[in-house]
Amino acid sequence: MLKIIILIFLGVNLFASDIFELYRTKGISAVEKELEKSLKDIGAWEKYLENKNVDYGFYETKKYIIVAQKNNKKISLYEKDKDDFKKVSTDSIIVGEKEGDKLVEGDKKTPEGAYELTQKRTGLDQFYGPFALVTAYPDNFDKSLNRKGHGIWIHGMPLNGDRELFTQGCIALNNDKLEALEKNIDYKQAVLITTNEDFKKATKSDIALILSTIYKWKDAWKYSKIDEYLSYYSKDFKRADRSDINTFSSQKRAVFAKNEDKTINLFNLDISPYPNSLGKKMYKVLMDEEYFSPSVRFIGKKELFIEIVNNKVQILTED
């Protein structure tokens, strides 16, 4: 991330000689302050993204993007190749028997969204083919909407030679294609994006807006600017436990009132388009967080599900 900060800084705000002079006359804290300012500048991020392909998202840790389209029953694998995405394969699939987004257990629908792959399962009933790749459905956004269900996999066809016309909600493809897909990826570095319609590509303007907003949000969080901080949350905000924005606001006001000195580091950002049946322009943000204060020490993952409304980022769910 430091490399990114410096590249943004050099590309937009100051030349190397300016950084040198700033450091020489005012020290490293002044340089750090200017770097932090650049991270909150949407123009800086637009410049940084200028020659990067973000059609399938912005990724610092993920390498493989799998896009499954339910309407045309196709699955495509893309591999992140430096600043671009390389298409590796496109194959036919079968999906849930019922149309629409998954809502409840047993509705026979394939969910829509962006999901991590959590494990490879073998030794299954022959119905599922040679193995299955397990998705993270339901994620925290699904849980915030009280959506139910489990066991959504990418799996193969029955080993006895039968071919199904539909699944119970999973994504299935021919066994040789499943094996080729798994061979071409590290599932721990993969994201599955499922959509009901043709995939809508991300835009550089959206990604730049999200990145600059994340650092503005972090700044408000770090310096306990409670009203600014809460302005980044949707009135429809809900956590996975379904607690709402009023509960969240009350909790945060109590914490921010302590006005503790905090160190917050966010890095390894992955931003995925998040197709959905709600008509929202959504993205999922997953990143590493380091949070240190006199009362709390946390090192782990931070996950945001955000909506872009009127060119403004609004957080719908957070974990």
Side-chain angles (χ1 to χ4, degrees), residues 17 20 52 72 139 151 177 188 219 237 241 243 252 267 290 302 305:
S17 59
F20 177 81
K52 297 181 185 297
N72 63 10
D139 60 24
K177 301 299 185 181
K188 296 176 183 177
D219 185 82
F237 173 87
D241 64 5
S243 56
K252 290 301 179 181
F267 53 99
E290 294 177 343
K302 170 68 74 174
F305 294 86

Side-chain angles (χ1 to χ4, degrees), residues 6 41 56 70 79 84 89 92 95 115 119 157 162 172 176 181 207 244 297 302 308:
I6 293 171
D41 181 5
Y56 302 95
K70 296 194 290 183
E79 181 177 356
D84 204 355
S89 63
S92 297
V95 295
Y115 299 96
Q119 67 177 120
M157 299 294 179
D162 292 341
D176 61 332
L181 173 68
I207 299 297
D244 63 13
R297 178 183 175 87
K302 170 68 74 174
I308 296 179

Side-chain angles (χ1 to χ4, degrees), residues 16 25 43 57 77 109 114 119 127 131 134 161 166 188 191 193 253 263 277-278 281 285 289 291 302:
T25 58
L77 170 63
K109 297 178 181 180
Q119 67 177 120
F127 174 82
F131 59 85
V134 180
F166 304 102
K188 296 176 183 177
V191 176
I193 300 175
R253 287 187 183 279
T263 297
S277 56
L278 304 175
K281 182 193 282 190
V285 181
E289 175 194 336
Y291 180 100
K302 170 68 74 174

